[in-house]
Amino acid sequence: MSIDKETVKKIGNLAKIELSAKEIDIYSSQLTKIIDFMNKLDEVDTTKTKTFSNENLDDHTGRPDDSVEDGNYVDKIIKNAPESKEGFFTIVKVIE
Amino acid sequence: MMELENLTISKALSLLEEGEITALQLTEFYLNKINSSKKLNAFCLTTSELALKQAENCDKIIKSNNRGKLCGIPIAVKDIFCTKNQKTQAASKILDGFIPDYESTVTEKLWNENAVMLGKLNMDEFAMGSSNETSIYGPAINPWKSQESNNNLTPGGSSGGSAAAVAADLCIATMGTDTGGSIRQPASFNGVVGLKPSYGRCSRWGIIAFASSLDQAGPITKTVRDSAILLNIISGYDNKDSTSAKKSVPDFESLLDSDLRGKKIGIPKEYLIDDTPIEISKLWENGKELLKDAGAKIVNISLPHTKYSLPTYYVLAPAEASSNLARYDGVRYGYRASLESDGRINDLYKITRSEGFGDEVKRRIMIGTYVLSAGFYEAYYQKALKVRKLIEKDFNEAFSTGINAILTPTTPSPAFELNSKIKENPVEMYLNDIFTVPTNLAGLPAISIPTGLSKNGLPLGLQLIGPKWGEQEILNVAYRIENDADFNHKPNSWWND
């Protein structure tokens, strides 16, 4: 199956990645090769197979209670932000 | 002064304890070596000041009872582990300038035992790659050279810097991570030992996520014993990672036992792939002979879904990656693109991600997004999860017949030249992981140990795969192979400035 340029543009949009015309060309050909490689899975009969999930792994613990045990370190978090103001992350204007 | 070259953890611990050397001497020795080995590009950050401070502290407490189990042992860790107040980027531009305010559980356990942190190690960007060529820092270089060419070789990936640093003796041991072979393939390419524990054996907390259902941390060391020592320390339940197992941790080191009489070793016929180079099949044969001589029984087994492991992996790992990497948006940390004055929020996300991620990472995010998108989710993602179940079942059935471990080659070739794989077809690079990926899919432990040299004088490794939680089994078999194969080759140190 071929991943055409329109599909690449659509995926780029879903993945929030800006793509140049040249990249769209390259990815169209590369993604086609990768998807072709994946299509080998069609050979396997999985009609009676359950999906794998981590719940099936023995001795795992499941999610702990979602309780707050710490907090109040806005400064430490903001320190890594590319831009911030008065304890908030700042972004470009989103209201028209 | 004592000869400090090629020390193992166990040897260094006894020298430190006996007062033959000090932690400071050892740390300075390695810092000097790292400094004069820049050509290898193994380190992306050296934490000299911290290392010297930790070493001085070790020398103060070395005689006391409250010293840790790794007191004075200089270690470096892959750049994928968040290290408190130390730059952590997973070799990506998108984490430019990120300085975590917290420490990953695995590395915290090392420092709690008074290991000395030498720095952070080069890797493929977000651990996506098998050659180290996707790193923002440029690839780490394999210390080994082919006898036929002077060209630089790949150290493998993604933990290429971690394996190269051990092989070049720039530290005593390192910590890597393995999602599809990222500890074992570089260990094999560099002639060192690499261990991927069972999924759930170690906490993933504070490790930058690539594919959460597959990622696992593990040691890269000079000996099997050293891997056992480090596995003892990093294993165990952590309430910050709900997939870490509440499972008792055996004392892997004290239980090391090289007596293989009565052990059954499985040889999966599906791992003999078309065009396996003769030197690889010969290595495998030698491994079988060695185990037979040690009293083990060699049993032919079948893992019929092996050939579907790579396509399954290359659906599931990118799917999980596309979700995990959605957090990099240029808002909260790392790189943010500069926008035109009329730029909107969507432009901020899209341009930041376009400029911040490298080609391979973008390719995998796009593949992951595609296989999770409406209309393709069942055909690819669900399908791959079902085939993953069958791959797990193959292993379970093999081990249920009483097999103690499975023996395979680690890689289909020795280290290849940098820039040699055809860039137009990414699948070619993916084929490198053919022997390592199945164990990640099944959540099993596996270890790579060097056992021979290729015709061009490059190291080759054999892999042992164990049943779930069977690290001790594979450590024991590896311990015997290490002893009997007696691989004692070292690369010539061409890289010294």
Side-chain angles (χ1 to χ4, degrees), chain B residues 97-118:
Chain B
F98 177 60
I99 299 176
D101 191 59
Y102 55 94
E103 187 78 31
S104 84
T105 299
V106 160
T107 50
E108 188 158 72
K109 286 182 171 205
L110 298 174
W111 321 137
N112 283 348
E113 295 295 343
N114 301 116
V116 170
M117 178 179 169
L118 293 172

Side-chain angles (χ1 to χ4, degrees), chain A residues 15-68:
Chain A
K16 297 264 185 282
I17 294 175
E18 185 77 13
L19 298 170
S20 66
K22 193 178 157 206
E23 281 178 311
I24 291 171
D25 266 353
I26 295 170
Y27 283 130
S28 168
S29 133
Q30 290 181 337
L31 298 195
T32 299
K33 286 179 181 135
I34 297 171
I35 294 292
D36 276 348
F37 178 61
M38 291 172 176
N39 285 335
K40 195 177 174 63
L41 297 181
D42 290 342
E43 296 170 13
V44 190
D45 179 4
T46 53
T47 42
K48 288 180 184 157
T49 313
K50 287 184 185 162
T51 56
F52 179 96
S53 83
N54 277 331
E55 290 162 7
N56 295 344
L57 294 171
D58 297 338
D59 304 306
H60 285 256
T61 49
R63 289 190 71 81
D65 290 340
D66 196 7
S67 58
V68 178

Side-chain angles (χ1 to χ4, degrees), chain A residues 6 9 12 14 40 43 50 78 84 95:
Chain A
E6 279 312 304
K9 274 191 216 168
L14 284 170
K40 195 177 174 63
E43 296 170 13
K50 287 184 185 162
I78 287 292
S84 66
I95 301 165

